[in-house]
Amino acid sequence: MRFKGWILVTVGAVAMAATRPDSDIAFAKHMLDGGQNEAAAFADINHDGKLDIVSGENWYEAPKWTRHHFRSALFTSNYIDDFSDLPLDVNADGKVDIVSCGWFSKSLWWDENPGTTGAEWKRHEIDSGFNIEFCFLVDLNNDGKKQEILPQFGNTQAPLAWYEVVNGKTVKHVVAAKSEGHGIGVGDINKDGRNDILTPNGWYEAPADIRTGTWTFHSDWKLGQTGFIYALDVNADGRMDVVTSMAHDYGVFWQENTASGEWKKHIIDDSWSQPHAMTMVDLNGDGRQDLVTGKRFMAHNGKDPGEREPLGVYWYEYLPPDAKGEVEWVKHTVDYGGRTGGGMGIPVADIDGDGDLDFAVGGKSGLFLFENLTKKPK
């Protein structure tokens, strides 16, 4: 069964449906690997000018997606212990390395690209001792480049920290003595020109000196067990709101920063569960940020609400608010009822160079590329 072209009009916490089929995007799905993965990333691994795909123990060479084994990962309890893949040239040698994290190994590390296809990559530990659910590449030094590493620790006893690359080495910066639970993100909440750190229980205001200054905590909201948290002025009222999802339950939603200082929850869609990974990106090129997400397959091996319900991959088209500030999100179903879900990371890029945006998803049910058919490849 396939649904597409639905508008979700958020009025308070009630979502009402209306049709908008003319704004959909056609995608072709390609299964690159039927094995178990969690994360996925786009990166030019072999420096040939084409974006390849990294997932788990392998990278897939464009344009035919030839599989190359480059590292070995722990496999336990039905998980491959690779919960994020972040492309970053850590040692500044001109080759893209991969930063990864593991829940079971309680580690954050980077694998060094040797520049030789078929060679095993050398693993370098960044930090260890606490479970890590996932991690981001973010812009915390406000230079316009997402090159700082921000992990979401699975234990609140772990210090909330971020890591930067300095002269080929990673440097740890502690923001707070404890973490704030499931979910993490970055955005300029108070619009002072500095990106803040967003957590499920509030946000840490970035100081003028992000390395030595004190990060002030604001306990403005309680979001629950979220996934990736984004900042966006959704209703265009001049105040920054947050957009996120319930990683292990039902619900994609945004939290409104109201004039009174209260934060009000608005449901975008709560008809399916496990939207663990979500990417905010202008998918259709209209100048507004959309959401790309999907149901993670067996996030907790069947123990979460709705976990055994059909998988799906979706994007939500963000429409500008009307004169009353009412906001509409158009739900587009890219895939439903098959073996494809959202995994632990959804990279979005023009991977085939044809001028439109494609995306990939990993997961326990395989690695998939969704090719945007809006324009023809060159």
Side-chain angles (χ1 to χ4, degrees):
M1 192 172 185
R2 183 176 175 87
F3 301 92
K4 65 182 184 179
W6 294 95
I7 292 180
L8 294 174
V9 184
T10 302
V11 182
V14 181
M16 301 184 297
T19 58
R20 182 183 160 89
D22 59 325
S23 59
D24 208 0
I25 298 173
F27 289 92
K29 181 173 71 171
H30 307 279
M31 187 173 76
L32 306 188
D33 197 321
Q36 289 186 253
N37 294 285
E38 292 290 348
F42 292 154
D44 183 4
I45 297 298
N46 55 354
H47 208 60
D48 65 352
K50 299 182 180 68
L51 285 175
D52 310 299
I53 299 176
V54 178
S55 186
E57 298 180 329
N58 306 293
W59 68 275
Y60 302 79
E61 182 180 354
K64 296 184 178 180
W65 312 118
T66 304
R67 183 172 62 182
H68 301 281
H69 186 276
F70 75 101
R71 63 180 175 181
S72 297
L74 173 67
F75 185 84
T76 182
S77 304
N78 208 31
Y79 298 89
I80 188 167
D81 198 36
D82 168 42
F83 282 63
S84 291
D85 290 325
L86 311 177
L88 183 66
D89 184 2
V90 177
N91 57 357
D93 64 353
K95 298 185 291 289
V96 177
D97 310 301
I98 299 296
V99 177
S100 299
C101 61
W103 176 270
F104 297 95
S105 59
K106 298 182 179 180
S107 61
L108 178 68
W109 75 91
W110 65 280
D111 290 299
E112 182 179 353
N113 186 345
T116 304
T117 300
E120 191 84 2
W121 293 28
K122 182 179 179 181
R123 176 167 168 154
H124 302 266
E125 291 293 327
I126 297 174
D127 207 349
S128 62
F130 293 99
N131 309 100
I132 301 178
E133 181 84 12
F134 56 83
C135 52
F136 261 158
L137 282 180
V138 297
D139 179 16
L140 280 179
N141 61 4
N142 304 291
D143 65 353
K145 301 175 183 178
K146 294 182 179 181
Q147 295 182 333
E148 288 74 59
I149 304 164
L150 180 65
Q152 187 257 286
F153 292 101
N155 187 334
T156 56
Q157 297 304 309
L160 178 60
W162 62 277
Y163 304 76
E164 70 173 330
V165 174
V166 180
N167 298 323
K169 296 182 179 181
T170 54
V171 178
K172 181 178 182 178
H173 300 281
V174 175
V175 171
K178 294 183 179 181
S179 296
E180 292 293 333
H182 200 301
I184 202 79
V186 159
D188 185 5
I189 293 295
N190 57 356
K191 294 190 173 183
D192 64 354
R194 298 192 292 267
N195 276 327
D196 310 300
I197 294 178
L198 319 180
T199 82
N201 297 321
W203 57 286
Y204 282 92
E205 181 181 349
D209 188 334
I210 59 172
R211 295 169 182 85
T212 62
T214 299
W215 293 70
T216 302
F217 185 63
H218 302 269
S219 56
D220 286 353
W221 57 67
K222 295 286 185 182
L223 304 178
Q225 284 196 324
T226 63
F228 301 167
I229 307 172
Y230 296 97
L232 178 70
D233 184 0
V234 176
N235 54 359
D237 63 358
R239 294 181 296 272
M240 197 66 81
D241 312 299
V242 297
V243 184
T244 189
S245 60
M246 298 301 293
H248 295 285
D249 210 323
Y250 293 87
V252 178
F253 64 97
W254 65 282
Q255 205 85 2
E256 180 186 359
N257 185 357
T258 68
S260 67
E262 299 296 319
W263 289 75
K264 181 180 180 181
K265 185 175 183 178
H266 298 267
I267 299 296
I268 296 173
D269 190 0
D270 60 0
S271 65
W272 56 279
S273 70
Q274 318 298 306
H276 203 292
M278 185 168 67
T279 299
M280 192 165 72
V281 64
D282 181 7
L283 191 65
N284 57 359
D286 64 357
R288 295 184 293 272
Q289 297 293 294
D290 309 302
L291 306 175
V292 183
T293 185
K295 180 183 179 69
R296 184 181 172 200
F297 179 54
M298 290 291 146
H300 281 158
N301 290 326
K303 299 176 182 178
D304 284 339
E307 196 165 346
R308 298 183 185 274
E309 294 172 356
L311 294 176
V313 178
Y314 314 94
W315 72 279
Y316 294 85
E317 180 184 3
Y318 167 54
L319 301 183
D322 62 20
K324 296 181 180 179
E326 299 292 343
V327 176
E328 297 180 349
W329 299 84
V330 183
K331 179 182 181 181
H332 301 274
T333 301
V334 180
D335 195 78
Y336 180 81
R339 60 180 292 170
T340 311
M344 288 290 286
I346 304 177
V348 181
D350 181 7
I351 198 167
D352 51 10
D354 63 357
D356 53 30
L357 293 178
D358 317 288
F359 68 91
V361 293
K364 294 182 180 68
S365 58
L367 173 65
F368 300 85
L369 170 66
F370 284 91
E371 177 191 359
N372 191 328
L373 301 179
T374 301
K375 298 180 180 180
K376 295 181 179 180
K378 297 178 180 178

